[in-house]
Amino acid sequence: MQYNRLKYIFQMLLLCGSLTLFSCGSKNVSTENSGQTDSSQTQYTASGSLGFPADSLLQLRVFKTGSYPFEEVPSEINQSWMGLFKGPAGYYTALTGLYASQTISQDTNSNSGEPSVFNIYTEVSDSSLLLWEPQHYMKAQAVHAIRLGKSQIYPGDTLKFVFENLQYQLFATGMRQGSSDGSNTTQVVHYKLYLKAVLNGRSCISLLVAHTDFDDCMTEILFAGDIDGDRRLDIILNSSRHYNMERPTLYLSKPAANDQVLKPMGCFTSLGC
């Protein structure tokens, strides 16, 4: 009977168009590319630069495994995803399905025996960094990754490195200033992070992230390597500007324009309490 109940719920969820989820711990999670803003994230167009990349510019649906209340199990549960995984032999991409395990509520205010949380996992047993909609130009394969010397690039910093015999340069502009609250912390304002490379004899540069300011956090490099299989660098960044927000953002080289190094494809945004 419980199985039929779960099956019915999943079928109803598939009919539901909502992609805004509330994860365990009162996190607000969204995979929607609506371009809407909230108080913790100011977004602008690419031409405006600051607040880049805006959700409205992103084309690819991105997802992460996690825990969700019983009423808000994501409709993506029955969808196939391409994912970046880390196994004993290194990183790789693979197609995967999702499945859910239930956690029975111990809350005395809830009905006895009613599942309160579904934990969403991938069918692939290795840990997943990020999931996205399968694309025709991407296939399951081993992924050449590179460990960079820094995970955060501050204004005035430059990080040069070589990947697949191509020279790359990450650099940031902006200003550092003292905190307005009188503490000894340094705030970063008018921040822009760029990636530069010489491709086919042509100097190319891409804006990766831009924010007017940060609230106790900093753009962070989560992964660097060849995700889409063209022997060029791809990157996953946490492009959030707020300490209570996670925003892993996928940047790929294959779909990028000829004068660009990378193209921002999609992000997954989660807000804490």
Side-chain angles (χ1 to χ4, degrees):
M1 216 169 149
Q2 181 67 18
Y3 170 79
N4 290 334
R5 175 178 170 80
L6 295 178
K7 182 178 179 182
Y8 171 75
I9 289 172
F10 286 149
Q11 289 173 340
M12 293 302 294
L13 285 166
L14 288 173
L15 297 176
C16 179
S18 175
L19 293 174
T20 299
L21 313 173
F22 298 91
S23 70
C24 206
S26 300
K27 283 185 178 181
N28 182 2
V29 183
S30 174
T31 59
E32 186 175 26
N33 295 337
S34 64
Q36 295 178 347
T37 62
D38 55 57
S39 59
S40 63
Q41 184 180 29
T42 303
Q43 297 177 335
Y44 300 83
T45 64
S47 59
S49 294
L50 299 180
F52 182 85
D55 286 353
S56 58
L57 301 176
L58 304 177
Q59 303 171 352
L60 193 62
R61 197 176 307 280
V62 173
F63 189 62
K64 280 190 69 176
T65 54
S67 299
Y68 303 98
F70 178 63
E71 299 82 4
E72 296 292 340
V73 177
S75 58
E76 294 94 337
I77 189 71
N78 288 345
Q79 180 174 324
S80 292
W81 294 85
M82 178 70 79
L84 176 63
F85 298 89
K86 185 178 183 181
Y91 293 95
Y92 63 94
T93 55
L95 285 171
T96 185
L98 301 179
Y99 72 93
S101 67
Q102 62 181 5
T103 299
I104 305 300
S105 174
Q106 301 300 318
D107 188 350
T108 55
N109 295 324
S110 64
N111 295 327
S112 177
E114 286 294 332
S116 61
V117 173
F118 273 94
N119 305 302
I120 310 300
Y121 304 95
T122 61
E123 292 175 349
V124 175
S125 59
D126 290 326
S127 61
S128 63
L129 278 73
L130 202 62
L131 305 168
W132 57 88
E133 293 175 301
Q135 301 295 300
H136 66 87
Y137 54 83
M138 301 180 72
K139 63 181 181 180
Q141 61 181 10
V143 172
H144 178 197
I146 180 173
R147 184 186 294 272
L148 300 179
K150 298 179 180 180
S151 61
Q152 296 177 330
I153 310 296
Y154 283 85
D157 289 349
T158 298
L159 178 61
K160 296 180 180 180
F161 58 95
V162 177
F163 181 76
E164 294 286 5
N165 297 319
L166 293 174
Q167 294 186 349
Y168 290 89
Q169 181 176 322
L170 276 165
F171 65 96
T173 63
M175 295 184 295
R176 302 190 198 193
Q177 60 185 29
S179 176
S180 59
D181 59 9
S183 65
N184 293 325
T185 59
T186 299
Q187 291 185 330
V188 174
V189 296
H190 304 299
Y191 179 80
K192 293 181 182 180
L193 176 64
Y194 297 92
L195 180 64
K196 182 178 180 181
V198 177
L199 305 175
N200 299 320
R202 181 177 184 178
S203 180
C204 301
I205 187 169
S206 291
L207 174 66
L208 302 182
V209 175
H211 288 305
T212 54
D213 58 14
F214 292 90
D215 190 343
D216 199 22
C217 79
M218 188 63 190
T219 297
E220 183 177 7
I221 303 167
L222 304 178
F223 178 84
D226 182 15
I227 298 174
D228 57 18
D230 63 353
R231 301 189 65 185
R232 292 184 179 179
L233 189 75
D234 306 300
I235 285 181
I236 299 174
L237 300 177
N238 181 7
S239 62
S240 170
R241 61 158 297 276
H242 195 278
Y243 70 90
N244 210 29
M245 173 191 291
E246 293 183 24
R247 194 176 187 249
T249 306
L250 177 65
Y251 299 79
L252 297 177
S253 55
K254 260 189 183 178
N258 291 334
D259 60 344
Q260 296 290 310
V261 186
L262 292 175
K263 180 178 180 178
M265 298 301 297
C267 72
F268 183 82
T269 301
S270 61
L271 300 177
C273 301

